[in-house]
Amino acid sequence: MPDWLFDLLFWVGIVVLLGLYVSWRATRLDRLHARADSARAALDAALVRRAAVALEMAASRLLDPATSLVLATAAHEARTADAEGREFAESDLSRALRAVVDQPDFRGTLADRHDGAVLLEELDAAAQKVAFARRFHNDAASGTRIARRRLLIRLLPLAGRAPLPEFFEFDDVPPKV
């Protein structure tokens, strides 16, 4: 075998391995973006569910009118907020839920009423799902951001025109159980 053929095969092999590596990194980055997108969708669904449970609790006639109004207003604001004000509206809903549910003997009083215990269980589950979904979303956004900072990703535009995932920061502390 001539030396030039060996050199040619060597460089073709290097180019193929380099192409496989770049393809693997691009596929990984694509999967990270998909994971961040699905985590965001799960977070949105959890936030909508929590607001729906809060509205259901406000409309249940189990609360006094002033408390129902505060809770309904916060839930409505959270559901209708635009992208820029959503974090603030969700934080307001979290604070309103804590202000309502963390009142002394609120859980005991509501649990004694018709369907009150069921509403409290739904609210607790929805609040926990929101906390988990926010954590998963922010972890996915962080992983994607870290991957996009790598030199190869920046030199070769492997991210394409995909927007950089944003963190979703708000007060998600659930009411005390």
Side-chain angles (χ1 to χ4, degrees), residues 42-102:
L43 175 61
D44 286 339
L47 291 170
V48 167
R49 177 68 187 139
R50 181 180 73 157
V53 171
L55 281 173
E56 185 178 343
M57 184 177 277
S60 69
R61 296 186 181 194
L62 297 174
L63 308 174
D64 63 90
T67 303
S68 292
L69 182 62
V70 167
L71 200 54
T73 302
H76 177 71
E77 290 297 321
R79 289 182 76 171
T80 59
D82 59 353
E84 295 163 1
R86 181 117 189 247
E87 291 175 351
F88 296 114
E90 294 295 344
S91 292
D92 289 344
L93 178 57
S94 294
R95 286 189 289 273
L97 286 169
R98 282 195 310 272
V100 169
V101 177
D102 291 346

Side-chain angles (χ1 to χ4, degrees), residues 90-131:
E90 294 295 344
S91 292
D92 289 344
L93 178 57
S94 294
R95 286 189 289 273
L97 286 169
R98 282 195 310 272
V100 169
V101 177
D102 291 346
Q103 294 176 30
D105 201 36
F106 176 82
R107 286 184 178 272
T109 304
L110 195 62
D112 292 340
R113 296 182 182 173
H114 178 68
D115 291 337
V118 173
L119 275 176
L120 282 173
E121 287 176 16
E122 285 182 35
L123 180 64
D124 291 337
Q128 287 299 325
K129 285 180 184 176
V130 164

